[in-house]
Amino acid sequence: MAGTASIRLNFPGKLIGRKLEKQNGDILHVASCSSGKTPSLSDQRRLSLVSASAQIDVGISGTVNGKEVNGKHVAEEAVQVGKLGNENAADAALVTSLHGRFVESKFVYRQIFVIRSYEIGPDKTATMETLMNFLQETALNHVTSSGIGGNGFGTTREMSIRKLIWVVTRIQLQVQRYSSWGDVIEVDTWVDAAGKNGMRRDWVIRDHHTKEIITKATSTWVIMNRETRKLCKIPEEVRQEVVPFYLNRSSISTEQTDSEKIDKLTDDTAERIRSGLAPRWNDMDANQHVNNVKYIGWILESVPIKVLEDCNMTSMTLEYRRECRQSNLLESLTSPTARVIGDSNNNSINRKPDLQYTHMLRLQGDKKEVVRARTEWNLKP
């Protein structure tokens, strides 16, 4: 939103605000109030978050007069906001603003998130699990909003007919910095082919107000039969559904992509082993196996507490080997692979890590691998 913009909202009772002006990016403040009172902090926060979405540009000054305001389109839901009370109106507009949308035509899907108090860790910043949840949520909404979604999470219509699902085989995240409680971020995602029978999905996370890139991620997906649990080739009908959305772009450059093989850990090579990790019912996803994000917490169970306290994880690569179900018990293995002391004042994503670790999750009973992982860590400033 440039300069001052507004839509007219028809609130019962006194008018609470005249207009909102742009300040510090997209965050707006109330310039004047006919009632002589400034809206509460909670109302101002809602309005700030509404403005974070490019779907609607919001200011308060009266009644809704159509869908075009100052030459800008107002989302259909926003037109209904004026029929609600003051508090409900702000809530409804906020919900509308947090819906994702397509940018760059149909190729890139963007979603806005706010870091909530239950999504941060002991250092008051978003956790790696939180970031992974954002990636997963944006990917699922991308498929749903594309018009090709089937009756399952992330599946297309042709996949649903054939009882097929997507499963991730590898994912890599690079974190420049972690967002704090209350920060507003935007997540962009897109897809491309990965070989003959795979699909690559990439993401970029930005600070919504500064547009600074704070996280990059890339992943590889293959198709599995939901009933037999066996991998299969991409049917031509499915390929034709997804090919129109392919974008030949990588979020992580070839030089930064972690393509090296992750070594297998054993009882002899692992420095730390944590046993007895039990999946709960709530750890299951809609496809009846452990949610991909849950593995991160189990991996960190065998990382030294001193590392968790003193370092930030700057990179994580996960290789998924097999499914895990609620009846399984897991073991988490970790071993340091390198220690390279870099310049602690250099916060570039290209900085060499201070610590590197190799990890593995395996079934406790037969020792079969579930996930291999590699992490890189830098000392906190």
Side-chain angles (χ1 to χ4, degrees):
M1 187 187 302
T4 299
S6 66
I7 64 173
R8 295 180 176 275
L9 300 180
N10 193 6
F11 290 140
K14 291 185 178 181
L15 188 65
I16 66 164
R18 277 296 179 193
K19 61 183 178 179
L20 301 174
E21 295 179 349
K22 179 177 179 182
Q23 199 174 65
N24 298 327
D26 286 335
I27 295 181
L28 308 176
H29 77 283
V30 176
S32 63
C33 299
S34 61
S35 64
K37 294 182 179 180
T38 300
S40 68
L41 181 60
S42 62
D43 281 337
Q44 292 186 52
R45 184 175 180 81
R46 288 190 183 93
L47 292 168
S48 296
L49 298 180
V50 167
S51 71
S53 172
Q55 289 184 359
I56 43 181
D57 296 310
V58 179
I60 300 177
S61 59
T63 59
V64 172
N65 290 327
K67 301 179 183 179
E68 293 291 327
V69 179
N70 294 335
K72 295 196 174 187
H73 176 70
V74 179
E76 183 69 29
E77 294 89 342
V79 178
Q80 304 301 321
V81 169
K83 300 177 182 179
L84 305 174
N86 176 11
E87 188 75 13
N88 287 340
D91 287 339
L94 174 57
V95 170
T96 299
S97 75
L98 296 181
H99 290 168
R101 65 189 180 92
F102 281 93
V103 296
E104 297 187 44
S105 186
K106 64 182 179 182
F107 297 108
V108 179
Y109 186 79
R110 176 173 296 168
Q111 188 152 359
I112 307 295
F113 294 95
V114 182
I115 309 300
R116 294 173 169 82
S117 60
Y118 52 82
E119 294 170 329
I120 61 175
D123 59 358
K124 301 181 182 179
T125 61
T127 64
M128 182 63 80
E129 291 99 316
T130 293
L131 298 182
M132 284 280 284
N133 277 321
F134 290 159
L135 303 187
Q136 186 167 278
E137 178 71 7
T138 307
L140 293 173
N141 289 334
H142 180 198
V143 177
T144 302
S145 301
S146 68
I148 64 173
N151 60 9
F153 275 25
T155 62
T156 68
R157 286 190 290 270
E158 292 292 338
M159 290 175 65
S160 296
I161 292 172
R162 293 164 175 77
K163 300 179 181 179
L164 303 175
I165 59 175
W166 290 110
V167 292
V168 61
T169 59
R170 186 180 178 99
I171 185 168
Q172 178 190 357
L173 290 85
Q174 290 183 343
V175 181
Q176 172 72 22
R177 69 171 177 84
Y178 290 88
S179 300
S180 301
W181 176 29
D183 286 352
V184 182
I185 63 170
E186 59 186 40
V187 184
D188 285 2
T189 188
W190 62 92
V191 294
D192 195 11
K196 293 183 178 180
N197 282 294
M199 184 178 75
R200 194 188 77 235
R201 178 175 286 280
D202 287 56
W203 297 267
V204 169
I205 301 180
R206 296 181 180 87
D207 181 290
H208 175 71
H209 301 300
T210 67
K211 305 305 178 184
E212 171 199 2
I213 294 178
I214 55 180
T215 301
K216 299 178 181 179
T218 187
S219 60
T220 305
W221 299 73
V222 294
I223 282 183
M224 172 187 284
N225 185 287
R226 186 175 65 241
E227 294 184 348
T228 66
R229 317 307 284 187
K230 292 182 178 180
L231 301 182
C232 61
K233 295 181 178 180
I234 299 179
E236 187 58 30
E237 294 82 357
V238 175
R239 193 185 306 277
Q240 292 306 313
E241 286 182 306
V242 297
V243 163
F245 295 90
Y246 282 174
L247 177 63
N248 184 19
R249 179 190 299 173
S250 299
S251 61
I252 300 177
S253 66
T254 303
E255 294 77 15
Q256 293 179 327
T257 300
D258 183 3
S259 57
E260 294 183 11
K261 177 184 176 182
I262 300 178
D263 294 332
K264 178 180 179 179
L265 292 180
T266 66
D267 290 335
D268 295 330
T269 59
E271 184 177 271
R272 299 168 62 92
I273 300 178
R274 172 70 186 277
S275 302
L277 303 173
R280 302 168 301 173
W281 171 252
N282 287 339
D283 294 331
M284 301 296 109
D285 64 14
N287 295 319
Q288 300 303 309
H289 57 222
V290 171
N291 188 304
N292 299 328
V293 178
K294 300 297 181 180
Y295 294 125
I296 297 176
W298 292 329
I299 286 171
L300 297 181
E301 284 292 318
S302 56
V303 173
I305 187 64
K306 192 68 173 173
V307 174
L308 299 178
E309 291 176 343
D310 296 345
C311 300
N312 285 322
M313 190 194 307
T314 56
S315 176
M316 186 174 209
T317 303
L318 297 160
E319 289 183 354
Y320 298 93
R321 296 304 182 101
R322 70 179 62 248
E323 292 183 278
C324 178
R325 296 181 177 276
Q326 188 187 2
S327 59
N328 298 132
L329 281 179
L330 294 171
E331 290 182 320
S332 176
L333 292 75
T334 288
S335 184
T337 52
R339 180 176 178 85
V340 183
I341 302 300
D343 179 4
S344 60
N345 294 319
N346 180 5
N347 293 321
S348 168
I349 200 166
N350 296 316
R351 170 188 167 186
K352 295 294 184 182
D354 295 327
L355 295 170
Q356 292 180 346
Y357 283 92
T358 299
H359 315 269
M360 189 175 75
L361 291 178
R362 68 185 183 188
L363 301 180
Q364 188 167 308
D366 56 17
K367 309 299 183 182
K368 290 182 178 179
E369 296 178 74
V370 176
V371 179
R372 291 187 191 184
R374 177 165 40 239
T375 59
E376 295 180 350
W377 307 73
N378 282 337
L379 294 172
K380 293 178 180 178

